[in-house]
Amino acid sequence: MTEGPTAGSVTPAEVAERLRGEKRILAVSHEAPDGDALGCLSAFLLMCEQLGIPCRGYVPGESGIPPEYLFLPKVRGVLRGRPPSLEPETTIYFFDCASLLRSNSHGFPEDVVRINIDHHADNPGYGEYNLVDADAASTTVILHEIFEAGGFSVDREVATALYVGLVTDTGRFQYSNTTPDAHRTAAALQECGVDVAWVYRQVYESTPLPKLLLLERALRHLEVRLGGALAVSWLGNDDFVQTGADEGHAEGLIDTLRRIHGVRVAALVREKSGENGVQAKVSLRSTDGSLNVAELAHKRGGGGHARAAGFTVDEDLATVLDWIETEVGTAL
Ligand code: AMP
Ligand code: MN
Ligand code: MN
């Protein structure tokens, strides 16, 4: 493979060419997977099957897959928990993983070839080969470019999985990353057979009751601080237990906090108990772009995009919320 403009940087055509020659693949996405993470895995696993390449999918951690994405082909078969052991000649493809840490890949051997496909501006280029395009609305848009460049046939199932990543990462084509290219990709996918209204029903109107009950808890704990500029809320372990919800049900709840009139930054903090004890998992959103929430997340070892970021720390919920208030108050 030829070198791109920076060491290890590759084009969609180069990834497609490499993909054809793979013996075995592990396709990885990030913990607490969202529609882009799972859309990538579903589309990629389907495509590998078409190409006759043995491929397994893996998402670190044990937290539930958000139920709205379980309709995507192959998602139920994705490996969970600790990184699986790799058979010889396996290449790892990472999708939508801003950092190696988020893919838990410290459990993978050092000598394995890593292909890093992502759209986070803060992605450090941890792969031997990196295709990072911060202008892409979703990582599935980049995956679509790879399939097109390789001349691979994008059937209705593959197109639907790619579309799910795009529609969710753009907030149903409403966020500032909704570029003309995002719409062009959506049009191309629709021409491949995506039933847009059906996807809408699956993703946005098939909400399990525990998720709505969890939203009710988040609204109960809602506080508007800094004169209305900051909306914060939290979900404790009890909230999950009493509503019958799991971590996957928290996906997207922060969207309700960011809707509030006058809110410029929204934060939702979830209590998370796992092998590292009790931790606080923070989601941050900027509504108007006046504060770069990825920079805030970096201060606590997290990351993300300018308007959607997150981090996880070993702190109690109240301490984290106060830290956020101080930081946002200083920055705004
Ligand atoms: P979330 O709030 O979990 O929906 O995540 C919003 C954005 O922040 C996504 O682009 C994530 O990839 C990123 N993000 C969330 N948590 C972390 C973390 N601990 N480290 C790096 N990036 C994160
Ligand atoms: Mn993601
Ligand atoms: Mn994404």
PDB file of all heavy atoms in Angstrom, residues 34 36 96 119-120 137-139 169 305, ligand 3:
ATOM      1  N   ASP A  34     -22.945   3.522  19.781  1.00  0.00           N
ATOM      2  CA  ASP A  34     -24.075   4.318  19.284  1.00  0.00           C
ATOM      3  C   ASP A  34     -24.451   3.828  17.875  1.00  0.00           C
ATOM      4  O   ASP A  34     -23.947   2.801  17.406  1.00  0.00           O
ATOM      5  CB  ASP A  34     -23.713   5.805  19.310  1.00  0.00           C
ATOM      6  CG  ASP A  34     -22.405   6.091  18.575  1.00  0.00           C
ATOM      7  OD1 ASP A  34     -21.996   5.260  17.738  1.00  0.00           O
ATOM      8  OD2 ASP A  34     -21.785   7.134  18.841  1.00  0.00           O
ATOM      9  N   ASP A  36     -23.706   5.025  14.980  1.00  0.00           N
ATOM     10  CA  ASP A  36     -22.597   5.038  14.024  1.00  0.00           C
ATOM     11  C   ASP A  36     -21.699   3.825  14.243  1.00  0.00           C
ATOM     12  O   ASP A  36     -21.317   3.130  13.294  1.00  0.00           O
ATOM     13  CB  ASP A  36     -21.817   6.352  14.195  1.00  0.00           C
ATOM     14  CG  ASP A  36     -20.890   6.649  13.029  1.00  0.00           C
ATOM     15  OD1 ASP A  36     -21.113   6.097  11.925  1.00  0.00           O
ATOM     16  OD2 ASP A  36     -19.948   7.453  13.209  1.00  0.00           O
ATOM     17  N   ASP A  96     -14.964   4.410  14.160  1.00  0.00           N
ATOM     18  CA  ASP A  96     -15.585   5.415  15.049  1.00  0.00           C
ATOM     19  C   ASP A  96     -14.927   5.451  16.427  1.00  0.00           C
ATOM     20  O   ASP A  96     -15.545   5.897  17.380  1.00  0.00           O
ATOM     21  CB  ASP A  96     -17.097   5.122  15.161  1.00  0.00           C
ATOM     22  CG  ASP A  96     -17.908   6.337  15.602  1.00  0.00           C
ATOM     23  OD1 ASP A  96     -17.641   7.449  15.117  1.00  0.00           O
ATOM     24  OD2 ASP A  96     -18.815   6.177  16.434  1.00  0.00           O
ATOM     25  N   HIS A 119     -13.998   9.597  12.196  1.00  0.00           N
ATOM     26  CA  HIS A 119     -14.277  10.992  11.838  1.00  0.00           C
ATOM     27  C   HIS A 119     -14.112  11.948  13.024  1.00  0.00           C
ATOM     28  O   HIS A 119     -14.644  13.071  12.978  1.00  0.00           O
ATOM     29  CB  HIS A 119     -15.678  11.125  11.226  1.00  0.00           C
ATOM     30  CG  HIS A 119     -16.801  10.895  12.181  1.00  0.00           C
ATOM     31  ND1 HIS A 119     -17.907  11.708  12.241  1.00  0.00           N
ATOM     32  CD2 HIS A 119     -16.997   9.947  13.124  1.00  0.00           C
ATOM     33  CE1 HIS A 119     -18.735  11.257  13.178  1.00  0.00           C
ATOM     34  NE2 HIS A 119     -18.212  10.187  13.722  1.00  0.00           N
ATOM     35  N   HIS A 120     -13.419  11.528  14.089  1.00  0.00           N
ATOM     36  CA  HIS A 120     -13.175  12.432  15.221  1.00  0.00           C
ATOM     37  C   HIS A 120     -11.911  13.264  14.951  1.00  0.00           C
ATOM     38  O   HIS A 120     -10.851  12.707  14.691  1.00  0.00           O
ATOM     39  CB  HIS A 120     -12.982  11.647  16.513  1.00  0.00           C
ATOM     40  CG  HIS A 120     -14.232  10.983  17.008  1.00  0.00           C
ATOM     41  ND1 HIS A 120     -14.634   9.740  16.566  1.00  0.00           N
ATOM     42  CD2 HIS A 120     -15.177  11.400  17.882  1.00  0.00           C
ATOM     43  CE1 HIS A 120     -15.772   9.416  17.168  1.00  0.00           C
ATOM     44  NE2 HIS A 120     -16.130  10.407  17.963  1.00  0.00           N
ATOM     45  N   ALA A 137     -19.657  13.358   8.207  1.00  0.00           N
ATOM     46  CA  ALA A 137     -20.712  13.489   9.215  1.00  0.00           C
ATOM     47  C   ALA A 137     -20.769  12.270  10.130  1.00  0.00           C
ATOM     48  O   ALA A 137     -21.150  12.377  11.294  1.00  0.00           O
ATOM     49  CB  ALA A 137     -22.056  13.714   8.541  1.00  0.00           C
ATOM     50  N   SER A 138     -20.413  11.110   9.601  1.00  0.00           N
ATOM     51  CA  SER A 138     -20.400   9.886  10.412  1.00  0.00           C
ATOM     52  C   SER A 138     -19.283   9.001   9.871  1.00  0.00           C
ATOM     53  O   SER A 138     -18.811   9.197   8.746  1.00  0.00           O
ATOM     54  CB  SER A 138     -21.741   9.143  10.305  1.00  0.00           C
ATOM     55  OG  SER A 138     -21.945   8.698   8.969  1.00  0.00           O
ATOM     56  N   THR A 139     -18.885   8.011  10.680  1.00  0.00           N
ATOM     57  CA  THR A 139     -17.887   7.070  10.172  1.00  0.00           C
ATOM     58  C   THR A 139     -18.509   6.203   9.067  1.00  0.00           C
ATOM     59  O   THR A 139     -17.806   5.762   8.163  1.00  0.00           O
ATOM     60  CB  THR A 139     -17.317   6.216  11.316  1.00  0.00           C
ATOM     61  OG1 THR A 139     -16.754   7.096  12.298  1.00  0.00           O
ATOM     62  CG2 THR A 139     -16.205   5.299  10.835  1.00  0.00           C
ATOM     63  N   ASP A 169     -25.858  10.149  13.803  1.00  0.00           N
ATOM     64  CA  ASP A 169     -24.771  11.083  14.125  1.00  0.00           C
ATOM     65  C   ASP A 169     -25.085  12.518  13.699  1.00  0.00           C
ATOM     66  O   ASP A 169     -24.488  13.465  14.219  1.00  0.00           O
ATOM     67  CB  ASP A 169     -23.440  10.634  13.497  1.00  0.00           C
ATOM     68  CG  ASP A 169     -22.547   9.898  14.495  1.00  0.00           C
ATOM     69  OD1 ASP A 169     -23.076   9.371  15.479  1.00  0.00           O
ATOM     70  OD2 ASP A 169     -21.310   9.867  14.295  1.00  0.00           O
ATOM     71  N   HIS A 305     -16.234  15.186  19.835  1.00  0.00           N
ATOM     72  CA  HIS A 305     -16.326  16.257  18.847  1.00  0.00           C
ATOM     73  C   HIS A 305     -16.544  17.599  19.567  1.00  0.00           C
ATOM     74  O   HIS A 305     -16.881  17.621  20.749  1.00  0.00           O
ATOM     75  CB  HIS A 305     -17.521  16.022  17.913  1.00  0.00           C
ATOM     76  CG  HIS A 305     -17.521  14.688  17.258  1.00  0.00           C
ATOM     77  ND1 HIS A 305     -16.744  14.380  16.167  1.00  0.00           N
ATOM     78  CD2 HIS A 305     -18.221  13.561  17.531  1.00  0.00           C
ATOM     79  CE1 HIS A 305     -16.968  13.133  15.799  1.00  0.00           C
ATOM     80  NE2 HIS A 305     -17.865  12.602  16.622  1.00  0.00           N
TER      81      HIS A 305
HETATM   82 MN    MN B   3     -19.504   8.789  14.874  1.00  0.00          MN
END
